[in-house]
Amino acid sequence: MLFVNVQNMARWVTETGPEAIISSMTGALERNFRRWPEFDRTPRLATHSPVGVIELMPTTDGEAYAFKYVNGHPGNPAHGLQTVTAFGVMADVYTGYPTFISEMTLLTALRTAATSALAARWLAPRDVDTMAMIGTGSQAEFQALGMRAQLGISKLRVFDVDPAATAKFVRNLGGRGFTIEVAASAADAVRGARIITTCTADKANAAVLRFDDVTPGAYLNAIGGDCPGKTELDPRIVAEADVFVEHTEQTRIEGEIQRQAADFPVTELWRVIRGEAPAGAGRTVVFDSVGFAIEDFTALAYVREAVTGTRYAEHIDLIAGPDDPKDLFGMLGAPVPA
């Protein structure tokens, strides 16, 4: 069974280049969004606690099966831990045998940025070189790279309530060709902005942006609202926008639209990509992204293909293989003398 550990994932991303990977993965995602109806579309299985959530995200296209284990614990950084960690598994549907296992903490950041880039390809305005960003935590650098790869974004106006997170963001991207302006507030960051990304982590129904903060007709890439009771936008922004989602059933539970009526109209992104729905009617556009298993399936398949036969992957002995498939006990050998 092929395995990619954290160190090898980091080496592969560093040596290949995160922006190049995000750009290429965006294309892989578009191919799978075009065949979205071929996949099982089961909402993720979430176990919530007062401090966070642990989730399983499964899907299959009938030939391969994949799932991701992922947590979301906003209080973890105070203890020196990541807010989000993950690993993923792929398996052969015909035998049930797992074929690939990988770290997915780094990989999830890449696929989230690639999903944002894919949505922007179809929904965001062109000829814009500046993006406002609210939240400069673990996802932020990847989002910036993904939007540059897709839209040519070169200028960033950023705000975070944590000055250390902002300093980290500036340090990490300062030498990568961006012009970065640190704003005094969220409202200041988004003033006049036509493209906005929100990626905050607090587990609360927050409103990091108010309705009057947002320029009419702006494109909002809202990725921070990703579990029940956790949102980022003033509900009026959402109510008066054209809203696009990944999987409606899941997003009504976890996304910005959880604060809207149960029949609030949304459009699933795959329908736009397949030409079955328009990309918007000229109003403010919100991509209400919570992440979906088909994206993780795509990311795992992408990495498996990229690292097979390279030094970034290793084989692990995870599945028992007795000489006689009906004699599992025989693998134990003779008893040890007393």
Side-chain angles (χ1 to χ4, degrees), residues 231-286:
T231 57
E232 298 181 305
L233 303 181
D234 182 337
R236 190 179 167 194
I237 295 173
V238 179
E240 299 194 19
D242 293 321
V243 179
F244 297 82
V245 303
E246 292 136 317
H247 183 59
T248 305
E249 183 180 352
Q250 181 169 292
T251 310
R252 290 202 189 280
I253 297 169
E254 300 182 333
E256 295 295 329
I257 60 171
Q258 68 183 275
R259 301 180 73 183
Q260 302 295 324
D263 60 351
F264 179 78
V266 299
T267 302
E268 293 188 345
L269 180 61
W270 67 270
R271 297 189 62 231
V272 177
I273 293 172
R274 284 165 59 101
E276 299 177 7
R283 301 195 302 169
T284 297
V285 169
V286 172

Side-chain angles (χ1 to χ4, degrees), residues 150-173:
Q150 186 56 54
L151 301 177
I153 295 295
S154 60
K155 301 175 183 177
L156 304 169
R157 296 207 308 266
V158 303
F159 173 75
D160 195 297
V161 295
D162 180 3
T166 303
K168 175 270 305 179
F169 178 86
V170 172
R171 181 174 66 250
N172 286 342
L173 289 188

Side-chain angles (χ1 to χ4, degrees), residues 3 28 58 88 90 92 118 135 180 194 225 261-262 281 285 291 314 326 333:
F3 172 53
M90 295 199 81
D92 178 11
L118 176 62
I180 303 172
R194 295 176 61 200
V285 169
E314 59 188 293
K326 294 185 177 181

Side-chain angles (χ1 to χ4, degrees), residues 30-109:
E30 181 165 306
R31 291 189 289 274
N32 278 345
F33 269 65
R34 288 188 184 278
R35 66 186 190 104
W36 192 269
E38 297 176 21
F39 285 89
D40 177 79
R41 298 180 297 282
T42 302
R44 55 185 161 213
L45 308 174
T47 301
H48 294 275
S49 74
V51 294
V53 62
I54 296 173
E55 300 172 331
L56 293 178
M57 300 174 65
T59 192
T60 178
D61 65 355
E63 295 187 1
Y65 169 90
F67 77 85
K68 182 173 78 174
Y69 169 100
V70 61
N71 77 294
H73 285 68
N76 273 1
H79 306 287
L81 302 173
Q82 289 287 304
T83 300
V84 175
T85 64
F87 69 89
V89 175
M90 295 199 81
D92 178 11
V93 166
Y94 299 104
T95 65
Y97 272 43
T99 58
F100 182 59
I101 184 169
S102 176
E103 87 80 41
M104 285 197 77
T105 307
L106 282 166
L107 186 55
T108 293

